[in-house]
Amino acid sequence: NAGVTQTPKFQVLKTGQSMTLQCAQDMNHEYMSWYRQDPGMGLRLIHYSVGAGITDQGEVPNGYNVSRSTTEDFPLRLLSAAPSQTSVYFCASKFSPQTFPSSPLHFGNGTRLTVT
Amino acid sequence: AQKITQTQPGMFVQEKEAVTLDCTYDTSDPSYGLFWYKQPSSGEMIFLIYQGSYDQQNATEGRYSLNFQKARKSANLVISASQLGDSAMYFCAMREGRNTGKLIFGQGTTLQVKP
């Protein structure tokens, strides 16, 4: 099983450029989310989705957009990259929180993004 | 206010010994869940163990157990018989409320196992 697949693994952007981080899962998970990981700060939630067509903001949503047109895919768009967005980005998914509250998040392998 | 606190930035343990990684949390919601994840140097996030706020017994999964002290709001991870492969960053995370997938993460603890 592929699980949660993130592409690309590494990316370098110049300030002001835009890009999309891809995330796909094949576990039929209703819930999907994006986190960023910065040294000394753990992981912080950017955006999340409880199902196709439904998205909401997390703790640090500024500068990012998401959409959820299918159950499987949850891309993260950086609109105009800034050096402060240099980070490691993780996509994660799980079964419906309402039905399976104790089920864990399954994480992709991360995307390391550098903005110069 | 910090919701999840891991006060040990780095720890060392001798191979085959047990080690406890500390995690304290803060919530006013009676329904919550606590998760521990391991992040090896390769970067992936690996789920280890879960404890629900209403669970009567401490969670265990193989060599991992959770020392859950509800009144103290602590959920410490105990790794028994440490192995070299346990060297990694460990994150404690909390689900605040029942019907949410959102997790709040601590800052992490780096564990190094010495041969």
PDB file of all heavy atoms in Angstrom, chain A residues 31 35 37 40 42-43 45 48 90 94 97-98 101-105 107 109, chain B residues 35 37 39 43-45 47 50 91 95 98-103 105-107:
ATOM      1  N   TYR A  31     -10.519  12.384   6.392  1.00  0.00           N
ATOM      2  CA  TYR A  31      -9.853  13.552   6.963  1.00  0.00           C
ATOM      3  C   TYR A  31      -8.439  13.675   6.409  1.00  0.00           C
ATOM      4  O   TYR A  31      -7.672  12.705   6.412  1.00  0.00           O
ATOM      5  CB  TYR A  31      -9.797  13.414   8.489  1.00  0.00           C
ATOM      6  CG  TYR A  31      -9.164  14.579   9.207  1.00  0.00           C
ATOM      7  CD1 TYR A  31      -9.926  15.653   9.657  1.00  0.00           C
ATOM      8  CD2 TYR A  31      -7.793  14.607   9.451  1.00  0.00           C
ATOM      9  CE1 TYR A  31      -9.341  16.731  10.320  1.00  0.00           C
ATOM     10  CE2 TYR A  31      -7.206  15.672  10.107  1.00  0.00           C
ATOM     11  CZ  TYR A  31      -7.987  16.728  10.542  1.00  0.00           C
ATOM     12  OH  TYR A  31      -7.398  17.789  11.196  1.00  0.00           O
ATOM     13  N   TYR A  35       0.589  20.006   7.750  1.00  0.00           N
ATOM     14  CA  TYR A  35       1.357  20.574   8.853  1.00  0.00           C
ATOM     15  C   TYR A  35       2.678  21.088   8.316  1.00  0.00           C
ATOM     16  O   TYR A  35       3.191  20.594   7.321  1.00  0.00           O
ATOM     17  CB  TYR A  35       1.658  19.504   9.916  1.00  0.00           C
ATOM     18  CG  TYR A  35       0.486  19.110  10.760  1.00  0.00           C
ATOM     19  CD1 TYR A  35      -0.433  18.155  10.327  1.00  0.00           C
ATOM     20  CD2 TYR A  35       0.295  19.666  12.022  1.00  0.00           C
ATOM     21  CE1 TYR A  35      -1.506  17.782  11.120  1.00  0.00           C
ATOM     22  CE2 TYR A  35      -0.783  19.297  12.824  1.00  0.00           C
ATOM     23  CZ  TYR A  35      -1.671  18.354  12.365  1.00  0.00           C
ATOM     24  OH  TYR A  35      -2.737  17.993  13.151  1.00  0.00           O
ATOM     25  N   GLN A  37       6.673  21.780   9.817  1.00  0.00           N
ATOM     26  CA  GLN A  37       7.559  21.482  10.931  1.00  0.00           C
ATOM     27  C   GLN A  37       8.751  22.414  10.888  1.00  0.00           C
ATOM     28  O   GLN A  37       9.493  22.431   9.894  1.00  0.00           O
ATOM     29  CB  GLN A  37       8.047  20.027  10.890  1.00  0.00           C
ATOM     30  CG  GLN A  37       8.956  19.671  12.054  1.00  0.00           C
ATOM     31  CD  GLN A  37       9.449  18.245  12.028  1.00  0.00           C
ATOM     32  OE1 GLN A  37       9.337  17.541  11.037  1.00  0.00           O
ATOM     33  NE2 GLN A  37       9.995  17.785  13.138  1.00  0.00           N
ATOM     34  N   GLY A  40      12.342  23.321  16.823  1.00  0.00           N
ATOM     35  CA  GLY A  40      11.945  23.811  18.140  1.00  0.00           C
ATOM     36  C   GLY A  40      10.481  24.148  18.287  1.00  0.00           C
ATOM     37  O   GLY A  40      10.045  24.592  19.353  1.00  0.00           O
ATOM     38  N   GLY A  42       7.849  21.973  16.913  1.00  0.00           N
ATOM     39  CA  GLY A  42       6.966  20.853  16.649  1.00  0.00           C
ATOM     40  C   GLY A  42       6.298  21.000  15.288  1.00  0.00           C
ATOM     41  O   GLY A  42       6.828  21.634  14.382  1.00  0.00           O
ATOM     42  N   LEU A  43       5.122  20.429  15.159  1.00  0.00           N
ATOM     43  CA  LEU A  43       4.349  20.527  13.923  1.00  0.00           C
ATOM     44  C   LEU A  43       3.155  21.445  14.165  1.00  0.00           C
ATOM     45  O   LEU A  43       2.495  21.348  15.208  1.00  0.00           O
ATOM     46  CB  LEU A  43       3.845  19.147  13.479  1.00  0.00           C
ATOM     47  CG  LEU A  43       4.845  18.238  12.779  1.00  0.00           C
ATOM     48  CD1 LEU A  43       5.828  17.621  13.753  1.00  0.00           C
ATOM     49  CD2 LEU A  43       4.100  17.142  12.011  1.00  0.00           C
ATOM     50  N   LEU A  45      -0.479  23.045  12.452  1.00  0.00           N
ATOM     51  CA  LEU A  45      -1.508  22.758  11.467  1.00  0.00           C
ATOM     52  C   LEU A  45      -1.743  23.970  10.566  1.00  0.00           C
ATOM     53  O   LEU A  45      -1.977  25.084  11.048  1.00  0.00           O
ATOM     54  CB  LEU A  45      -2.807  22.375  12.185  1.00  0.00           C
ATOM     55  CG  LEU A  45      -3.998  22.018  11.321  1.00  0.00           C
ATOM     56  CD1 LEU A  45      -3.725  20.766  10.503  1.00  0.00           C
ATOM     57  CD2 LEU A  45      -5.228  21.810  12.208  1.00  0.00           C
ATOM     58  N   TYR A  48      -6.929  21.937   6.995  1.00  0.00           N
ATOM     59  CA  TYR A  48      -7.421  20.577   7.079  1.00  0.00           C
ATOM     60  C   TYR A  48      -8.744  20.454   6.336  1.00  0.00           C
ATOM     61  O   TYR A  48      -9.388  21.465   5.990  1.00  0.00           O
ATOM     62  CB  TYR A  48      -7.567  20.122   8.533  1.00  0.00           C
ATOM     63  CG  TYR A  48      -8.615  20.854   9.339  1.00  0.00           C
ATOM     64  CD1 TYR A  48      -9.892  20.313   9.512  1.00  0.00           C
ATOM     65  CD2 TYR A  48      -8.333  22.078   9.942  1.00  0.00           C
ATOM     66  CE1 TYR A  48     -10.851  20.981  10.262  1.00  0.00           C
ATOM     67  CE2 TYR A  48      -9.279  22.748  10.685  1.00  0.00           C
ATOM     68  CZ  TYR A  48     -10.526  22.202  10.853  1.00  0.00           C
ATOM     69  OH  TYR A  48     -11.479  22.859  11.589  1.00  0.00           O
ATOM     70  N   PHE A  90       4.297  18.414   5.941  1.00  0.00           N
ATOM     71  CA  PHE A  90       3.758  17.071   6.031  1.00  0.00           C
ATOM     72  C   PHE A  90       2.269  17.080   5.724  1.00  0.00           C
ATOM     73  O   PHE A  90       1.518  17.892   6.261  1.00  0.00           O
ATOM     74  CB  PHE A  90       3.955  16.489   7.433  1.00  0.00           C
ATOM     75  CG  PHE A  90       5.351  16.071   7.734  1.00  0.00           C
ATOM     76  CD1 PHE A  90       6.200  16.907   8.436  1.00  0.00           C
ATOM     77  CD2 PHE A  90       5.819  14.827   7.319  1.00  0.00           C
ATOM     78  CE1 PHE A  90       7.500  16.528   8.721  1.00  0.00           C
ATOM     79  CE2 PHE A  90       7.116  14.436   7.605  1.00  0.00           C
ATOM     80  CZ  PHE A  90       7.966  15.287   8.304  1.00  0.00           C
ATOM     81  N   LYS A  94      -6.485  10.541   8.022  1.00  0.00           N
ATOM     82  CA  LYS A  94      -7.022   9.544   8.954  1.00  0.00           C
ATOM     83  C   LYS A  94      -8.486   9.290   8.626  1.00  0.00           C
ATOM     84  O   LYS A  94      -9.103  10.048   7.850  1.00  0.00           O
ATOM     85  CB  LYS A  94      -6.877  10.004  10.402  1.00  0.00           C
ATOM     86  CG  LYS A  94      -7.637  11.264  10.753  1.00  0.00           C
ATOM     87  CD  LYS A  94      -7.639  11.492  12.271  1.00  0.00           C
ATOM     88  CE  LYS A  94      -8.622  10.536  12.916  1.00  0.00           C
ATOM     89  NZ  LYS A  94      -8.646  10.648  14.386  1.00  0.00           N
ATOM     90  N   PRO A  97     -12.855  11.573  12.060  1.00  0.00           N
ATOM     91  CA  PRO A  97     -12.689  11.770  13.511  1.00  0.00           C
ATOM     92  C   PRO A  97     -13.957  11.478  14.294  1.00  0.00           C
ATOM     93  O   PRO A  97     -13.889  11.040  15.441  1.00  0.00           O
ATOM     94  CB  PRO A  97     -12.296  13.244  13.616  1.00  0.00           C
ATOM     95  CG  PRO A  97     -11.744  13.597  12.285  1.00  0.00           C
ATOM     96  CD  PRO A  97     -12.499  12.761  11.296  1.00  0.00           C
ATOM     97  N   GLN A  98     -15.120  11.731  13.678  1.00  0.00           N
ATOM     98  CA  GLN A  98     -16.371  11.482  14.392  1.00  0.00           C
ATOM     99  C   GLN A  98     -16.587   9.998  14.637  1.00  0.00           C
ATOM    100  O   GLN A  98     -17.062   9.594  15.683  1.00  0.00           O
ATOM    101  CB  GLN A  98     -17.563  12.040  13.602  1.00  0.00           C
ATOM    102  CG  GLN A  98     -17.734  13.535  13.673  1.00  0.00           C
ATOM    103  CD  GLN A  98     -16.862  14.260  12.672  1.00  0.00           C
ATOM    104  OE1 GLN A  98     -16.059  13.660  11.980  1.00  0.00           O
ATOM    105  NE2 GLN A  98     -17.021  15.563  12.600  1.00  0.00           N
ATOM    106  N   PRO A 101     -12.415   8.393  16.599  1.00  0.00           N
ATOM    107  CA  PRO A 101     -11.635   9.460  17.246  1.00  0.00           C
ATOM    108  C   PRO A 101     -10.251   9.026  17.688  1.00  0.00           C
ATOM    109  O   PRO A 101      -9.351   9.860  17.769  1.00  0.00           O
ATOM    110  CB  PRO A 101     -12.506   9.835  18.461  1.00  0.00           C
ATOM    111  CG  PRO A 101     -13.385   8.657  18.692  1.00  0.00           C
ATOM    112  CD  PRO A 101     -13.629   8.053  17.352  1.00  0.00           C
ATOM    113  N   SER A 102     -10.059   7.734  17.946  1.00  0.00           N
ATOM    114  CA  SER A 102      -8.753   7.293  18.437  1.00  0.00           C
ATOM    115  C   SER A 102      -7.815   6.867  17.315  1.00  0.00           C
ATOM    116  O   SER A 102      -6.668   6.512  17.572  1.00  0.00           O
ATOM    117  CB  SER A 102      -8.927   6.130  19.426  1.00  0.00           C
ATOM    118  OG  SER A 102      -9.489   5.015  18.768  1.00  0.00           O
ATOM    119  N   SER A 103      -8.286   6.901  16.077  1.00  0.00           N
ATOM    120  CA  SER A 103      -7.399   6.481  14.981  1.00  0.00           C
ATOM    121  C   SER A 103      -6.323   7.532  14.771  1.00  0.00           C
ATOM    122  O   SER A 103      -6.576   8.735  14.878  1.00  0.00           O
ATOM    123  CB  SER A 103      -8.188   6.265  13.694  1.00  0.00           C
ATOM    124  OG  SER A 103      -8.677   7.486  13.195  1.00  0.00           O
ATOM    125  N   PRO A 104      -5.097   7.092  14.504  1.00  0.00           N
ATOM    126  CA  PRO A 104      -3.990   8.051  14.395  1.00  0.00           C
ATOM    127  C   PRO A 104      -3.943   8.710  13.019  1.00  0.00           C
ATOM    128  O   PRO A 104      -4.503   8.199  12.050  1.00  0.00           O
ATOM    129  CB  PRO A 104      -2.760   7.177  14.601  1.00  0.00           C
ATOM    130  CG  PRO A 104      -3.163   5.851  14.034  1.00  0.00           C
ATOM    131  CD  PRO A 104      -4.623   5.702  14.368  1.00  0.00           C
ATOM    132  N   LEU A 105      -3.257   9.816  12.939  1.00  0.00           N
ATOM    133  CA  LEU A 105      -2.925  10.417  11.657  1.00  0.00           C
ATOM    134  C   LEU A 105      -1.824   9.590  10.992  1.00  0.00           C
ATOM    135  O   LEU A 105      -0.867   9.171  11.647  1.00  0.00           O
ATOM    136  CB  LEU A 105      -2.410  11.840  11.843  1.00  0.00           C
ATOM    137  CG  LEU A 105      -3.414  12.969  12.057  1.00  0.00           C
ATOM    138  CD1 LEU A 105      -2.697  14.263  12.365  1.00  0.00           C
ATOM    139  CD2 LEU A 105      -4.318  13.129  10.845  1.00  0.00           C
ATOM    140  N   PHE A 107       1.042   9.896   8.194  1.00  0.00           N
ATOM    141  CA  PHE A 107       1.794  10.975   7.573  1.00  0.00           C
ATOM    142  C   PHE A 107       2.486  10.540   6.287  1.00  0.00           C
ATOM    143  O   PHE A 107       2.927   9.393   6.160  1.00  0.00           O
ATOM    144  CB  PHE A 107       2.868  11.483   8.538  1.00  0.00           C
ATOM    145  CG  PHE A 107       2.342  12.357   9.637  1.00  0.00           C
ATOM    146  CD1 PHE A 107       1.801  11.782  10.781  1.00  0.00           C
ATOM    147  CD2 PHE A 107       2.379  13.733   9.528  1.00  0.00           C
ATOM    148  CE1 PHE A 107       1.307  12.586  11.804  1.00  0.00           C
ATOM    149  CE2 PHE A 107       1.892  14.540  10.545  1.00  0.00           C
ATOM    150  CZ  PHE A 107       1.354  13.956  11.680  1.00  0.00           C
ATOM    151  N   ASN A 109       5.830  11.363   3.722  1.00  0.00           N
ATOM    152  CA  ASN A 109       7.248  11.452   4.067  1.00  0.00           C
ATOM    153  C   ASN A 109       7.791  12.873   4.088  1.00  0.00           C
ATOM    154  O   ASN A 109       8.970  13.074   4.389  1.00  0.00           O
ATOM    155  CB  ASN A 109       8.071  10.607   3.101  1.00  0.00           C
ATOM    156  CG  ASN A 109       7.916   9.127   3.391  1.00  0.00           C
ATOM    157  OD1 ASN A 109       7.551   8.734   4.498  1.00  0.00           O
ATOM    158  ND2 ASN A 109       8.163   8.302   2.386  1.00  0.00           N
TER     159      ASN A 109
ATOM    160  N   PHE B  35      -1.364  11.245  21.712  1.00  0.00           N
ATOM    161  CA  PHE B  35      -0.646  10.417  20.762  1.00  0.00           C
ATOM    162  C   PHE B  35       0.853  10.651  20.925  1.00  0.00           C
ATOM    163  O   PHE B  35       1.281  11.770  21.212  1.00  0.00           O
ATOM    164  CB  PHE B  35      -1.025  10.790  19.317  1.00  0.00           C
ATOM    165  CG  PHE B  35      -2.469  10.599  18.962  1.00  0.00           C
ATOM    166  CD1 PHE B  35      -3.427  11.541  19.325  1.00  0.00           C
ATOM    167  CD2 PHE B  35      -2.869   9.496  18.236  1.00  0.00           C
ATOM    168  CE1 PHE B  35      -4.765  11.385  18.980  1.00  0.00           C
ATOM    169  CE2 PHE B  35      -4.208   9.325  17.878  1.00  0.00           C
ATOM    170  CZ  PHE B  35      -5.151  10.265  18.255  1.00  0.00           C
ATOM    171  N   TYR B  37       4.403  10.104  18.615  1.00  0.00           N
ATOM    172  CA  TYR B  37       4.974   9.788  17.319  1.00  0.00           C
ATOM    173  C   TYR B  37       6.492   9.782  17.419  1.00  0.00           C
ATOM    174  O   TYR B  37       7.080  10.529  18.199  1.00  0.00           O
ATOM    175  CB  TYR B  37       4.558  10.837  16.269  1.00  0.00           C
ATOM    176  CG  TYR B  37       3.156  10.687  15.755  1.00  0.00           C
ATOM    177  CD1 TYR B  37       2.073  11.254  16.435  1.00  0.00           C
ATOM    178  CD2 TYR B  37       2.892   9.969  14.592  1.00  0.00           C
ATOM    179  CE1 TYR B  37       0.778  11.119  15.962  1.00  0.00           C
ATOM    180  CE2 TYR B  37       1.600   9.830  14.110  1.00  0.00           C
ATOM    181  CZ  TYR B  37       0.553  10.406  14.804  1.00  0.00           C
ATOM    182  OH  TYR B  37      -0.726  10.257  14.325  1.00  0.00           O
ATOM    183  N   GLN B  39      10.011  10.230  15.078  1.00  0.00           N
ATOM    184  CA  GLN B  39      10.540  10.727  13.819  1.00  0.00           C
ATOM    185  C   GLN B  39      12.033  10.411  13.748  1.00  0.00           C
ATOM    186  O   GLN B  39      12.869  11.108  14.310  1.00  0.00           O
ATOM    187  CB  GLN B  39      10.320  12.240  13.681  1.00  0.00           C
ATOM    188  CG  GLN B  39      10.730  12.771  12.315  1.00  0.00           C
ATOM    189  CD  GLN B  39      10.485  14.259  12.157  1.00  0.00           C
ATOM    190  OE1 GLN B  39      10.760  15.059  13.047  1.00  0.00           O
ATOM    191  NE2 GLN B  39       9.952  14.653  11.009  1.00  0.00           N
ATOM    192  N   GLY B  43      13.169  11.161   8.636  1.00  0.00           N
ATOM    193  CA  GLY B  43      12.153  12.204   8.545  1.00  0.00           C
ATOM    194  C   GLY B  43      10.703  11.783   8.622  1.00  0.00           C
ATOM    195  O   GLY B  43       9.839  12.642   8.829  1.00  0.00           O
ATOM    196  N   GLU B  44      10.391  10.510   8.449  1.00  0.00           N
ATOM    197  CA  GLU B  44       8.975  10.137   8.470  1.00  0.00           C
ATOM    198  C   GLU B  44       8.419  10.163   9.887  1.00  0.00           C
ATOM    199  O   GLU B  44       9.164  10.077  10.852  1.00  0.00           O
ATOM    200  CB  GLU B  44       8.772   8.746   7.847  1.00  0.00           C
ATOM    201  CG  GLU B  44       9.302   7.579   8.637  1.00  0.00           C
ATOM    202  CD  GLU B  44      10.714   7.196   8.279  1.00  0.00           C
ATOM    203  OE1 GLU B  44      11.509   8.095   7.907  1.00  0.00           O
ATOM    204  OE2 GLU B  44      11.039   6.004   8.390  1.00  0.00           O
ATOM    205  N   MET B  45       7.136  10.302  10.004  1.00  0.00           N
ATOM    206  CA  MET B  45       6.436  10.332  11.283  1.00  0.00           C
ATOM    207  C   MET B  45       5.771   8.977  11.493  1.00  0.00           C
ATOM    208  O   MET B  45       4.931   8.552  10.693  1.00  0.00           O
ATOM    209  CB  MET B  45       5.378  11.428  11.301  1.00  0.00           C
ATOM    210  CG  MET B  45       5.957  12.826  11.217  1.00  0.00           C
ATOM    211  SD  MET B  45       6.739  13.349  12.728  1.00  0.00           S
ATOM    212  CE  MET B  45       5.306  13.622  13.765  1.00  0.00           C
ATOM    213  N   PHE B  47       3.544   6.569  14.033  1.00  0.00           N
ATOM    214  CA  PHE B  47       2.661   6.515  15.193  1.00  0.00           C
ATOM    215  C   PHE B  47       3.098   5.398  16.132  1.00  0.00           C
ATOM    216  O   PHE B  47       3.378   4.269  15.705  1.00  0.00           O
ATOM    217  CB  PHE B  47       1.225   6.285  14.732  1.00  0.00           C
ATOM    218  CG  PHE B  47       0.294   5.886  15.834  1.00  0.00           C
ATOM    219  CD1 PHE B  47      -0.065   6.782  16.810  1.00  0.00           C
ATOM    220  CD2 PHE B  47      -0.203   4.587  15.898  1.00  0.00           C
ATOM    221  CE1 PHE B  47      -0.924   6.414  17.839  1.00  0.00           C
ATOM    222  CE2 PHE B  47      -1.065   4.210  16.908  1.00  0.00           C
ATOM    223  CZ  PHE B  47      -1.423   5.119  17.886  1.00  0.00           C
ATOM    224  N   TYR B  50      -1.462   5.427  21.660  1.00  0.00           N
ATOM    225  CA  TYR B  50      -2.569   6.351  21.900  1.00  0.00           C
ATOM    226  C   TYR B  50      -3.170   6.110  23.276  1.00  0.00           C
ATOM    227  O   TYR B  50      -3.280   4.954  23.721  1.00  0.00           O
ATOM    228  CB  TYR B  50      -3.646   6.145  20.834  1.00  0.00           C
ATOM    229  CG  TYR B  50      -4.949   6.849  21.138  1.00  0.00           C
ATOM    230  CD1 TYR B  50      -5.088   8.203  20.879  1.00  0.00           C
ATOM    231  CD2 TYR B  50      -6.017   6.158  21.715  1.00  0.00           C
ATOM    232  CE1 TYR B  50      -6.276   8.864  21.166  1.00  0.00           C
ATOM    233  CE2 TYR B  50      -7.203   6.809  22.009  1.00  0.00           C
ATOM    234  CZ  TYR B  50      -7.329   8.159  21.728  1.00  0.00           C
ATOM    235  OH  TYR B  50      -8.500   8.819  22.018  1.00  0.00           O
ATOM    236  N   PHE B  91       7.586  12.957  19.458  1.00  0.00           N
ATOM    237  CA  PHE B  91       6.602  14.020  19.624  1.00  0.00           C
ATOM    238  C   PHE B  91       5.379  13.498  20.370  1.00  0.00           C
ATOM    239  O   PHE B  91       4.848  12.433  20.053  1.00  0.00           O
ATOM    240  CB  PHE B  91       6.133  14.559  18.271  1.00  0.00           C
ATOM    241  CG  PHE B  91       7.168  15.361  17.536  1.00  0.00           C
ATOM    242  CD1 PHE B  91       7.925  14.782  16.541  1.00  0.00           C
ATOM    243  CD2 PHE B  91       7.373  16.683  17.857  1.00  0.00           C
ATOM    244  CE1 PHE B  91       8.881  15.518  15.855  1.00  0.00           C
ATOM    245  CE2 PHE B  91       8.328  17.443  17.179  1.00  0.00           C
ATOM    246  CZ  PHE B  91       9.083  16.847  16.177  1.00  0.00           C
ATOM    247  N   ARG B  95      -5.238  15.542  20.847  1.00  0.00           N
ATOM    248  CA  ARG B  95      -6.492  15.846  20.182  1.00  0.00           C
ATOM    249  C   ARG B  95      -7.392  16.436  21.256  1.00  0.00           C
ATOM    250  O   ARG B  95      -7.722  15.762  22.221  1.00  0.00           O
ATOM    251  CB  ARG B  95      -7.113  14.581  19.613  1.00  0.00           C
ATOM    252  CG  ARG B  95      -8.397  14.792  18.810  1.00  0.00           C
ATOM    253  CD  ARG B  95      -9.235  13.515  18.732  1.00  0.00           C
ATOM    254  NE  ARG B  95      -9.892  13.241  20.003  1.00  0.00           N
ATOM    255  CZ  ARG B  95      -9.811  12.076  20.638  1.00  0.00           C
ATOM    256  NH1 ARG B  95      -9.122  11.093  20.136  1.00  0.00           N
ATOM    257  NH2 ARG B  95     -10.429  11.900  21.790  1.00  0.00           N
ATOM    258  N   ARG B  98     -13.546  15.498  21.108  1.00  0.00           N
ATOM    259  CA  ARG B  98     -13.731  14.155  20.581  1.00  0.00           C
ATOM    260  C   ARG B  98     -13.793  14.127  19.062  1.00  0.00           C
ATOM    261  O   ARG B  98     -13.145  13.309  18.424  1.00  0.00           O
ATOM    262  CB  ARG B  98     -15.022  13.551  21.154  1.00  0.00           C
ATOM    263  CG  ARG B  98     -15.328  12.189  20.577  1.00  0.00           C
ATOM    264  CD  ARG B  98     -16.577  11.564  21.170  1.00  0.00           C
ATOM    265  NE  ARG B  98     -17.036  10.444  20.384  1.00  0.00           N
ATOM    266  CZ  ARG B  98     -16.531   9.217  20.444  1.00  0.00           C
ATOM    267  NH1 ARG B  98     -15.544   8.972  21.283  1.00  0.00           N
ATOM    268  NH2 ARG B  98     -17.000   8.255  19.685  1.00  0.00           N
ATOM    269  N   ASN B  99     -14.580  15.019  18.480  1.00  0.00           N
ATOM    270  CA  ASN B  99     -14.889  14.923  17.058  1.00  0.00           C
ATOM    271  C   ASN B  99     -14.000  15.835  16.212  1.00  0.00           C
ATOM    272  O   ASN B  99     -14.498  16.625  15.408  1.00  0.00           O
ATOM    273  CB  ASN B  99     -16.356  15.255  16.815  1.00  0.00           C
ATOM    274  CG  ASN B  99     -17.271  14.246  17.479  1.00  0.00           C
ATOM    275  OD1 ASN B  99     -16.926  13.074  17.584  1.00  0.00           O
ATOM    276  ND2 ASN B  99     -18.422  14.707  17.936  1.00  0.00           N
ATOM    277  N   THR B 100     -12.719  15.717  16.398  1.00  0.00           N
ATOM    278  CA  THR B 100     -11.792  16.518  15.607  1.00  0.00           C
ATOM    279  C   THR B 100     -10.577  15.676  15.254  1.00  0.00           C
ATOM    280  O   THR B 100     -10.182  14.798  16.011  1.00  0.00           O
ATOM    281  CB  THR B 100     -11.345  17.787  16.359  1.00  0.00           C
ATOM    282  OG1 THR B 100     -10.364  18.465  15.563  1.00  0.00           O
ATOM    283  CG2 THR B 100     -10.714  17.451  17.706  1.00  0.00           C
ATOM    284  N   GLY B 101     -10.008  15.960  14.088  1.00  0.00           N
ATOM    285  CA  GLY B 101      -8.769  15.292  13.720  1.00  0.00           C
ATOM    286  C   GLY B 101      -7.557  16.148  14.000  1.00  0.00           C
ATOM    287  O   GLY B 101      -6.421  15.730  13.804  1.00  0.00           O
ATOM    288  N   LYS B 102      -7.790  17.383  14.467  1.00  0.00           N
ATOM    289  CA  LYS B 102      -6.677  18.308  14.673  1.00  0.00           C
ATOM    290  C   LYS B 102      -5.833  17.863  15.854  1.00  0.00           C
ATOM    291  O   LYS B 102      -6.349  17.590  16.939  1.00  0.00           O
ATOM    292  CB  LYS B 102      -7.217  19.719  14.927  1.00  0.00           C
ATOM    293  CG  LYS B 102      -7.925  20.320  13.732  1.00  0.00           C
ATOM    294  CD  LYS B 102      -8.208  21.792  13.932  1.00  0.00           C
ATOM    295  CE  LYS B 102      -9.364  22.018  14.877  1.00  0.00           C
ATOM    296  NZ  LYS B 102      -9.691  23.463  14.965  1.00  0.00           N
ATOM    297  N   LEU B 103      -4.524  17.816  15.640  1.00  0.00           N
ATOM    298  CA  LEU B 103      -3.582  17.500  16.706  1.00  0.00           C
ATOM    299  C   LEU B 103      -2.721  18.721  17.008  1.00  0.00           C
ATOM    300  O   LEU B 103      -2.298  19.434  16.107  1.00  0.00           O
ATOM    301  CB  LEU B 103      -2.678  16.335  16.314  1.00  0.00           C
ATOM    302  CG  LEU B 103      -3.305  14.958  16.142  1.00  0.00           C
ATOM    303  CD1 LEU B 103      -2.220  13.917  15.914  1.00  0.00           C
ATOM    304  CD2 LEU B 103      -4.169  14.594  17.335  1.00  0.00           C
ATOM    305  N   PHE B 105       0.860  19.608  18.649  1.00  0.00           N
ATOM    306  CA  PHE B 105       2.104  18.897  18.908  1.00  0.00           C
ATOM    307  C   PHE B 105       2.970  19.642  19.909  1.00  0.00           C
ATOM    308  O   PHE B 105       2.979  20.876  19.967  1.00  0.00           O
ATOM    309  CB  PHE B 105       2.899  18.722  17.613  1.00  0.00           C
ATOM    310  CG  PHE B 105       2.381  17.632  16.738  1.00  0.00           C
ATOM    311  CD1 PHE B 105       1.301  17.839  15.898  1.00  0.00           C
ATOM    312  CD2 PHE B 105       2.974  16.374  16.743  1.00  0.00           C
ATOM    313  CE1 PHE B 105       0.813  16.822  15.093  1.00  0.00           C
ATOM    314  CE2 PHE B 105       2.497  15.353  15.933  1.00  0.00           C
ATOM    315  CZ  PHE B 105       1.417  15.575  15.113  1.00  0.00           C
ATOM    316  N   GLY B 106       3.742  18.862  20.682  1.00  0.00           N
ATOM    317  CA  GLY B 106       4.790  19.434  21.493  1.00  0.00           C
ATOM    318  C   GLY B 106       6.022  19.707  20.646  1.00  0.00           C
ATOM    319  O   GLY B 106       6.053  19.428  19.440  1.00  0.00           O
ATOM    320  N   GLN B 107       7.045  20.246  21.303  1.00  0.00           N
ATOM    321  CA  GLN B 107       8.253  20.646  20.574  1.00  0.00           C
ATOM    322  C   GLN B 107       9.152  19.468  20.229  1.00  0.00           C
ATOM    323  O   GLN B 107      10.069  19.594  19.421  1.00  0.00           O
ATOM    324  CB  GLN B 107       9.064  21.658  21.402  1.00  0.00           C
ATOM    325  CG  GLN B 107       8.255  22.818  21.928  1.00  0.00           C
ATOM    326  CD  GLN B 107       7.759  22.574  23.347  1.00  0.00           C
ATOM    327  OE1 GLN B 107       7.195  21.514  23.641  1.00  0.00           O
ATOM    328  NE2 GLN B 107       7.953  23.532  24.213  1.00  0.00           N
TER     329      GLN B 107
END
